[in-house]
Amino acid sequence: VQGPSSQARADSTVLLHCTHSNLKNTSFFELRLDRHMTILSVKEKLKSHTGTAVGAMLLQLKDLNGTVVATLADDNTVLGFYSPQDGFTLHIVDMDPNSSSADGWLEDVSKVKKYEISEEDYNQRENTYRKFKEQKLREDPTWTLQKEIAKRSGKEVKESIADPEHQAEVAQGIAVGNRCEVYPGSKRGEVMYVGKVEGLPLGYWVGVKYDEPIGKNDGTIKGKSYF
């Protein structure tokens, strides 16, 4: 059974979780810290994760049950002095009342003022998607974004079928009971249905019962049985 983080690490390394007094929905798991680091060095590393100034940090060490076992108040003391163990938690108390993370400013997006623009101002802008779309539709009334993406990626664009009689002539040459071979896969079977299928693209469809027990359908499409 492997413990926290099975990666090779030095004997002096300890894996600690980190929580923050102002970040109620954010925590950092298994931060790699060295027991020889001073508390000041630990704070400097935690600053890059939380943004709290080193001078505004009060660190508390919590055990596996969440009980505070030590307050890391001396910046010159090494972390190992407090006997941290893998899975313990470093809790940061942000002492700065003007901290950028205070009152949920780093987590509650409702506090952030959204940029808004009027329709009139937006229409006056150049190089917007709206103007790009309008230009494309003037050039090709059937243009869609999917077509544009396929064109730019060099892929073939499959046109949607608008004719309800699509492949009617081909269907006239096929009868229920005919033997057939389906490609790809060279699967053989018997024609069980020829006609239109509600819920599938327009046109005529052929339903085949394979000789072998393969295939993913049973002659039923969207609750309606065709064979």
Side-chain angles (χ1 to χ4, degrees):
V1 177
Q2 297 176 333
S5 181
S6 60
Q7 298 180 11
R9 57 190 175 104
D11 292 338
S12 59
T13 299
V14 62
L15 303 177
L16 301 179
H17 307 317
C18 178
T19 56
H20 193 285
S21 60
N22 292 340
L23 304 177
K24 306 302 182 184
N25 301 316
T26 303
S27 57
F28 306 93
F29 294 97
E30 292 195 354
L31 293 180
R32 286 174 171 253
L33 300 173
D34 194 289
R35 291 181 172 87
H36 298 141
M37 296 173 67
T38 63
I39 299 305
L40 178 60
S41 297
V42 172
K43 289 181 177 180
E44 289 174 342
K45 182 168 185 175
L46 294 178
K47 177 185 176 182
S48 65
H49 287 80
T50 65
T52 299
V54 171
M57 281 189 197
L58 174 64
L59 297 184
Q60 295 176 335
L61 182 65
K62 297 183 179 182
D63 63 15
L64 298 175
N65 296 318
T67 302
V68 176
V69 294
T71 298
L72 287 55
D74 187 350
D75 286 348
N76 296 317
T77 301
V78 296
L79 178 62
F81 174 80
Y82 299 98
S83 302
Q85 298 179 25
D86 286 350
F88 275 24
T89 298
L90 277 178
H91 180 65
I92 302 172
V93 180
D94 194 329
M95 306 297 289
D96 182 2
N98 299 314
S99 172
S100 60
S101 63
D103 299 321
W105 278 101
L106 293 183
E107 294 184 315
D108 189 352
V109 295
S110 67
K111 295 177 178 290
V112 181
K113 183 178 180 181
K114 278 64 172 186
Y115 175 75
E116 298 179 354
I117 185 173
S118 66
E119 284 289 315
E120 181 180 358
D121 290 339
Y122 183 77
N123 287 331
Q124 291 177 354
R125 290 191 169 191
E126 299 294 333
N127 300 320
T128 63
Y129 173 73
R130 181 179 295 174
K131 290 191 175 180
F132 168 77
K133 180 179 179 180
E134 291 173 351
Q135 176 63 32
K136 287 294 182 179
L137 288 173
R138 283 195 293 269
E139 297 172 357
D140 177 10
T142 66
W143 179 90
T144 64
L145 180 59
Q146 289 73 18
K147 286 184 179 181
E148 185 70 21
I149 294 174
K151 178 182 178 181
R152 295 191 179 193
S153 61
K155 296 180 179 178
E156 181 182 357
V157 181
K158 292 184 178 181
E159 300 289 341
S160 59
I161 298 172
D163 181 11
E165 299 302 312
H166 179 64
Q167 291 191 323
E169 294 183 3
V170 176
Q172 289 178 358
I174 303 174
V176 173
N178 286 167
R179 296 289 299 167
C180 64
E181 189 170 8
V182 180
Y183 293 93
S186 299
K187 298 182 287 290
R188 295 184 178 183
E190 179 181 352
V191 175
M192 302 295 291
Y193 175 80
V194 180
K196 298 178 180 180
V197 178
E198 184 178 350
L200 294 182
L202 297 176
Y204 283 77
W205 293 81
V206 176
V208 176
K209 179 181 179 181
Y210 292 131
D211 293 339
E212 303 294 331
I214 55 178
K216 61 181 180 179
N217 296 314
D218 61 355
T220 300
I221 300 294
K222 296 187 177 181
K224 182 177 179 180
S225 178
Y226 289 84
F227 63 87

